[in-house]
Amino acid sequence: MRQSADWMVPSDDRILELIREYGNLTPIAIEAKGGPVRQYASERCGVLARHGLLKQVHRGLYGLTDDGRAYLDEDLDASDLEPIE
């Protein structure tokens, strides 16, 4: 079972799964592929990037990090992650 953190919400897993499945995505693409609406996806991608599960590849384009993959594979407890400045 995945170990999420207090700062995570249920849609975070969906965003991470979509990016793992399709590769780098924008919030618009996340919404188009069945994720949360663009505005909320954008907000959550920023939070996930600040905690190291996603990386901002380009302005508005996000990709999965090694920690993001480890979390999805149940090899990382997200509550151990600290925000990146």
Side-chain angles (χ1 to χ4, degrees), residues 3 9 14 17 19 26 33 37 42 44-45 47 55 58 60 62-65 68-69 76:
Q3 298 297 313
V9 297
R14 182 72 180 135
E17 289 165 354
I19 292 174
T26 63
K33 295 190 181 300
V37 297
S42 179
R44 295 312 304 167
C45 283
V47 171
K55 62 184 172 193
H58 193 271
Y62 294 90
L64 202 57
T65 64
R69 279 185 201 83
L76 175 79

Side-chain angles (χ1 to χ4, degrees), residues 57-75:
V57 176
H58 193 271
R59 185 171 182 230
L61 181 66
Y62 294 90
L64 202 57
T65 64
D66 290 339
D67 281 349
R69 279 185 201 83
Y71 167 74
L72 289 174
D73 293 339
E74 301 177 7
D75 294 331

Side-chain angles (χ1 to χ4, degrees), residues 4 6-7 10 12 14 18 23-24 27 29 31-32 35 39 47 51-52 56 60-61 64 68 70 75-77 80 84:
S4 63
D6 291 342
W7 52 266
D12 291 347
R14 182 72 180 135
L18 287 169
N24 300 341
E31 179 180 8
Q39 295 89 342
V47 171
H51 286 87
Q56 190 168 17
L61 181 66
L64 202 57
D75 294 331
L76 175 79
D77 183 343
D80 292 336
I84 301 167

